[in-house]
């Protein structure tokens, strides 16, 4: 041993570095993932609104809803295969899949198809706020009962501001002269199916949070949800549209469907990961920022008016995000 090595170094006079606050770090990750999900879903929603103009009627909407699951399925399948090859992932028992399949069917037929039908009837600016109001309320109530998620005072205030912002944005949609006339006779059906869509998404969010908390691999969860859409909605639509109907789909519509599915996959992956770190209520509040994003997107890409009421709704969304409890 050298003399230098044998000399004892003096104790450091610097104060010890405090340990990282894991809870705060996890909350920050959850909020970031929730915002990423909001961006992904916003772009997907704009693409879906463009596709809602199609003349194929009900089964055209069924086809769009089914094809939206394809990019998620492909990404989840690749991740699952990679992890299985490395010994990181094994398939759980069938009992773990049963609630997933039930939730997947609810999401595909109630959530995704309901959302697309509502887009056709009442448009994007009205559909998104109605869907999110019902997501926030149903997710908070069912999440509290089933998962035991607590709702802090700050989160409750943030949720209230979000619901208020949704009210402003809905009012703006009714008075701003959007591309779809909300006074037509089908508006009641559109509003009702949007509510069904939101409640379906809210219930599915609770199931997803429960299964990811149980350490079920996220890629398995996403695979179950996406393959359910492909194996149910697409065959139903194809059987009714027929070869002639499918072959009549334009190249632009195919690319729009790919874009909608890809950004929907980004949103789905992000919100599923966010639910590892956030409660249902907090994840839904962060994800609800897409209300403002969709309002801006509708103005920029579809020339829908950005009124003072819409701007008030966007402002309330931002304030709600700032107030959101991160503990």
């Amino acid at each position: 041993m050298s003399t230098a090595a044998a000399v004892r170094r003096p104790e450091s006079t610097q104060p010890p570095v405090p340990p990282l606050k894991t809870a705060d770090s996890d909350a920050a990750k959850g909020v970031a993932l929730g915002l990423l999900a909001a961006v992904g879903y916003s772009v997907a929603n704009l693409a879906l609104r463009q596709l809602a103009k199609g003349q194929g009627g009900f089964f055209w909407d069924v086809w769009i809803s089914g094809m939206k699951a394809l990019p998620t399925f492909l990404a989840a399948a690749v991740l699952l295969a990679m992890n299985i090859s490395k010994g990181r992932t094994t398939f759980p028992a069938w009992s773990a899949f049963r609630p997933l399949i039930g939730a997947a069917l609810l999401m595909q037929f109630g959530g995704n198809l309901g959302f697309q039908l509502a887009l056709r009837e009442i448009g994007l600016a009205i559909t998104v706020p109605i869907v999110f109001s019902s997501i926030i309320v149903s997710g908070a109530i069912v999440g509290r009962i089933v998962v035991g998620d607590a709702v802090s005072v700050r989160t409750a205030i943030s949720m209230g501001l979000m619901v208020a912002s949704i009210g402003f944005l809905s009012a703006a949609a009714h008075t701003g002269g959007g591309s779809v006339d909300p006074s037509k006779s089908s508006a009641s059906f559109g509003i009702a199916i949007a509510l069904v869509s939101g409640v379906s998404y809210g219930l599915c969010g609770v199931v997803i949070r429960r299964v990811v908390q149980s350490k079920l691999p996220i890629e398995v969860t996403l695979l179950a949800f996406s393959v359910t859409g492909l194996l149910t909605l697409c065959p139903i639509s194809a059987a009714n549209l027929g070869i002639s109907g499918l072959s009549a789909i334009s190249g632009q519509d195919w690319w729009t469907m790919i874009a909608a599915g890809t950004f929907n996959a980004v949103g789905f992956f992000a919100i599923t990961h966010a639910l590892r770190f956030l409660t249902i209520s907090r994840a839904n509040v962060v994800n609800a920022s897409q209300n403002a994003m969709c309002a801006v997107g509708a103005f920029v890409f579809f020339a829908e008016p950005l009124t003072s009421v819409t701007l008030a709704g966007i402002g309330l969304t931002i304030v709600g995000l700032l107030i959101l409890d991160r503990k």
Side-chain angles (χ1 to χ4, degrees):
M1 178 181 294
S2 68
T3 303
V7 175
R8 183 176 179 180
R9 293 182 175 87
E11 295 291 337
S12 173
T13 59
Q14 297 294 326
V17 178
L20 292 175
K21 296 182 179 180
T22 305
D24 289 346
S25 176
D26 286 348
K29 290 178 184 177
V31 171
L33 287 166
L35 289 173
L36 176 61
V39 172
Y41 282 134
S42 295
V43 177
N45 290 342
L46 291 169
L48 292 172
R49 180 204 181 280
Q50 178 68 22
L51 291 166
K53 66 178 178 55
Q55 301 301 313
F58 175 77
F59 291 108
W60 168 247
D61 295 325
V62 175
W63 179 257
I64 295 169
S65 302
M67 287 300 296
K68 187 171 69 172
L70 180 58
T72 302
F73 167 75
L74 293 175
V78 170
L79 287 175
L80 182 62
M82 292 173 58
N83 287 335
I84 289 177
S85 67
K86 297 176 181 178
R88 297 176 182 171
T89 301
T90 57
F91 279 97
W94 169 246
S95 59
F97 275 106
R98 286 200 292 266
L100 275 183
I101 299 302
L105 288 170
L106 180 63
M107 175 178 280
Q108 297 299 338
F109 285 91
N112 290 342
L113 179 56
F115 184 84
Q116 193 63 33
L117 291 171
L119 284 179
R120 176 183 294 277
E121 300 298 337
I122 56 177
L124 180 66
I126 302 174
T127 297
V128 173
I130 290 175
V131 167
F132 255 96
S133 65
S134 50
I135 285 177
I136 291 173
V137 174
S138 62
I141 294 173
V142 179
R144 182 71 181 89
I145 295 172
V146 176
V147 188
D149 280 345
V151 179
S152 69
V153 174
R154 287 185 62 175
T155 299
I157 294 173
S158 181
M159 288 172 56
L161 289 171
M162 278 292 179
V163 172
S165 75
I166 288 168
F168 272 89
L169 292 169
S170 288
H174 280 284
T175 61
S179 60
V180 178
D181 181 6
S183 66
K184 65 180 183 179
S185 59
S186 60
S188 297
F189 170 75
I191 293 171
I193 201 65
L195 287 169
V196 170
S197 175
V199 171
S200 299
Y201 284 137
L203 295 177
C204 288
V206 175
V207 174
I208 291 174
R209 175 159 170 78
R210 190 168 187 176
V211 297
V212 298
Q213 282 183 327
S214 66
K215 305 304 181 183
L216 185 69
I218 287 179
E219 61 269 21
V220 174
T221 303
L222 297 176
L223 189 68
F225 275 85
S226 57
V227 77
T228 300
L230 289 173
L231 295 181
T232 55
L233 295 174
C234 287
I236 292 173
S237 176
N240 286 273
L241 291 177
I243 296 176
S244 60
L246 294 176
S247 61
I249 299 175
S250 68
Q252 180 180 352
D253 283 344
W254 278 115
W255 282 112
T256 306
M257 274 186 270
I258 292 172
T262 300
F263 282 99
N264 181 73
V266 171
F268 202 176
F269 271 81
I271 197 62
T272 304
H273 280 278
L275 288 171
R276 285 193 182 275
F277 307 112
L278 299 177
T279 64
I280 295 293
S281 298
R282 290 159 66 192
N284 283 341
V285 169
V286 175
N287 198 16
S289 60
Q290 66 180 272
N291 284 285
M293 297 178 192
C294 286
V296 173
F299 170 74
V300 172
F301 296 106
F302 300 104
E304 295 183 8
L306 195 60
T307 65
S308 59
V309 180
T310 304
L311 291 173
I314 294 173
L316 285 173
T317 300
I318 295 172
V319 174
L321 289 171
L322 294 175
I323 291 177
L324 177 64
D325 184 17
R326 290 169 173 79
K327 292 183 179 180

